[in-house]
Amino acid sequence: MEGYQKYTRTYFMPPEKSTKWMEKEYVTKAPQWCSVDLRDGNQALVVPMNLEEKLEYFQILVELGFKEIEVGFPAASETEFTFLRTLIEQDLIPKDVTIQVLTQAREHIIRKTFESLKGAHKAVVHLYNSTSVAQREQVFRKSKEEIIEIAVRGAELLKQCSLETEGDFTFQYSPESFTGTEIEFALEICNRVLDVWQPTADNKVIINLPATVSLSMPHVYASQIEYMSNHLKYRENVIVSIHPHNDRGTGVADAELGMLAGADRVEGTLFGNGERTGNVDIVTLALNLFSHGVDPELHLENLPRVIEVYERMTKMNVHERHPYGGELVFTAFSGSHQDAIAKGMKWRETHAEDHWTVPYLLIDPADIGREYEGDIIRINSQSGKGGIAYVLKQTYGLDLPLQMRESFGYRVKNVSDHMNKELSTEEIYGIFKEEYINITKPIEFIQYTFGDESSAKVKVNMNIDGEATELTGAGNGTLDAISQMLQDKLQIQYSDLTYTEHALEVGSQSQAVSYVGISANNGEVFWGCGIDADIMTSSIKALVSAVNKLVISNR
């Protein structure tokens, strides 16, 4: 692909080895989460949210368990200012939730920001200025010392304004475009800001290290975070925060490795909404922790509702393959996958498993509000007999014999292939009903009666090609007697009758289900299914259904 020559690596590795994070196996606890949906997320929308939508979205974030929520850039516009004032004046911020506001390192913006915070019981004031080589040279055209002076002056103003404003304020500084900044310079500017703020155990500050543009592979970002974490002044009183973007599609990996490397806090959005390719997806990060047995400290038990609100508020869609939230992420169309999942679910029914180990399913879909029926196994021409049988059992309580599943599986796959579409559970059941259940042509079973108690004779009333007929037969039991009668009296030849039955597991518990398979002279097996309140009647209907399929095939 031509054009690659104009690109080069514009990130900076630490001046010393910073790879201790590689010794850790996984993240062992949830970070401090900060949602930036109402700032980063909102500013990235084609149509930003109005006041009412922002208020509803804020409430959803609170319900999800976020304790830190960035609510906007109040000095940037009247809309942002009004939203913050509404939250404060209508007392909509719970006491255990800290709001966060963003400000540039400019005096009039900082003062306007503190004006917007009057009456807030607790807030993070997030100061930033750009520090990267590209920003210094191309945008601001300032030296390193001039860039440091902007940050230091901003930090001093935050400290001054906080003393003039009633409230409990935490300071946060971001060297914006951190990933394109020389690592030693990023450290220097952060430490200069920290020298102004002088954090203590009772008054900690946040240093936020954003991958404003993702420039490197995730291990490089992790090494950068570890280096900063190891060399920041006042480290025991500094909360190291990360804010990964997703330009390279590695936002989640950057965040996870960043946490291994020492980050205490993560800023991100629901489903990764944000500028360009978006911010890191907090839903994915949280549920990745969940999948490792770590409490994410967020309430994602009803993910479909979260998606509904997100899509309605943002006018954006969660992709079908988006981790955890996508419509198809727990779905198997492949026959081998379906078979493994079905067997895994069956295993859980009969084994006292403490941990989730079902093949192909990272977590139990039910834990995040997803339904088994219609979610896990869906049927198209790629599906296998196990998956098709699983759908019938889960939705309709029909537990097909193993030999019957293959016959029905081919039939369903042929229909799906011919129609070139996925089949719904209703359509699958419709095929099964039409093909197997209580078939009445050319032979329609009406009723049976026993002969005298000392004999095994059975009298059967039926319609054959619409003509009422009464036949009698004898055998080793009722079903055998009727089977012999059909073969002898109607000259229908078959062998190897197989029979299974069970109570209907879904719906009326008074219903019995029977399955009968018979082999024609050429070895082809014909199956029938009978459903009735009486177990013997259901078995006869199953036999007659199988015989009807054999007769029809011979005509």
Side-chain angles (χ1 to χ4, degrees), residues 254-537:
D254 287 339
E256 291 185 327
L257 296 192
M259 286 188 280
L260 288 178
D264 310 299
R265 182 177 182 269
V266 175
E267 294 187 346
T269 60
L270 300 181
F271 305 108
N273 180 36
E275 294 282 6
R276 307 180 309 278
T277 56
N279 290 49
V280 67
D281 175 15
I282 286 182
V283 173
T284 298
L285 274 176
L287 291 175
N288 280 356
L289 288 172
F290 184 75
S291 75
H292 279 173
V294 177
D295 183 1
E297 299 178 15
L298 291 175
H299 299 296
L300 299 170
E301 298 89 349
N302 189 356
L303 200 56
R305 177 173 179 265
V306 179
I307 294 171
E308 185 278 321
V309 173
Y310 168 83
E311 292 187 335
R312 177 162 49 85
M313 295 291 100
T314 65
K315 313 299 187 294
M316 298 180 70
N317 296 321
V318 174
H319 192 275
E320 291 89 344
R321 298 295 181 189
H322 195 103
Y324 301 104
E327 180 185 355
L328 298 177
V329 297
F330 294 110
T331 299
F333 290 104
S334 161
S336 61
H337 288 205
Q338 290 176 342
D339 183 61
I341 290 171
K343 288 175 179 174
M345 298 297 285
K346 184 68 175 178
W347 175 271
R348 290 188 64 80
E349 294 176 6
T350 56
H351 292 74
E353 287 285 328
D354 292 330
H355 297 101
W356 180 261
T357 59
V358 174
Y360 297 113
L361 296 181
L362 178 61
I363 66 170
D364 185 346
D367 286 338
I368 56 173
R370 297 289 295 268
E371 299 291 336
Y372 290 123
E373 293 78 9
D375 260 354
I376 295 181
I377 292 177
R378 290 164 60 172
I379 305 303
N380 63 16
S381 60
Q382 304 302 306
S383 303
K385 60 182 184 296
I388 294 168
Y390 179 85
V391 167
L392 280 182
K393 187 175 188 298
Q394 289 296 115
T395 309
Y396 297 100
L398 297 168
D399 191 4
L400 275 58
L402 290 175
Q403 305 96 314
M404 190 180 189
R405 293 177 189 180
E406 184 170 3
S407 172
F408 182 53
Y410 283 124
R411 175 61 180 145
V412 170
K413 291 170 69 172
N414 286 339
V415 171
S416 177
D417 194 35
H418 178 73
M419 298 176 68
N420 194 29
K421 58 171 277 190
E422 177 189 353
L423 299 178
S424 68
T425 54
E426 292 82 5
E427 288 173 317
I428 294 166
Y429 178 73
I431 296 169
F432 185 78
K433 182 178 180 181
E434 180 182 354
E435 290 284 322
Y436 300 100
I437 298 178
N438 299 348
I439 299 174
T440 60
K441 291 181 180 180
I443 303 170
E444 180 184 9
F445 167 74
I446 305 298
Q447 66 177 10
Y448 74 96
T449 56
F450 291 109
D452 60 78
E453 295 183 0
S454 62
S455 70
K457 289 185 178 181
V458 179
K459 182 188 298 182
V460 180
N461 295 100
M462 58 183 65
N463 292 326
I464 301 177
D465 289 325
E467 183 178 338
T469 305
E470 182 179 282
L471 298 173
T472 59
N476 298 320
T478 304
L479 189 63
D480 181 63
I482 294 175
S483 176
Q484 294 294 336
M485 176 196 69
L486 290 171
Q487 294 183 73
D488 295 341
K489 303 292 178 63
L490 300 182
Q491 300 300 304
I492 302 171
Q493 301 301 311
Y494 59 84
S495 60
D496 301 326
L497 186 149
T498 61
Y499 167 73
T500 59
E501 64 185 40
H502 64 79
L504 196 61
E505 297 179 16
V506 175
S508 172
Q509 294 301 305
S510 63
Q511 294 279 288
V513 185
S514 299
Y515 310 93
V516 168
I518 55 176
S519 298
N521 291 336
N522 63 1
E524 184 177 358
V525 179
F526 294 87
W527 287 94
C529 175
I531 300 178
D532 195 88
D534 175 67
I535 185 64
M536 182 51 65
T537 300

Side-chain angles (χ1 to χ4, degrees), residues 75-93:
S77 72
E78 193 62 32
T79 301
E80 298 279 279
F81 189 93
T82 300
F83 172 52
L84 177 52
R85 295 309 308 161
T86 301
L87 288 173
I88 295 170
E89 292 169 7
Q90 295 187 13
D91 196 23
L92 299 176
I93 307 168

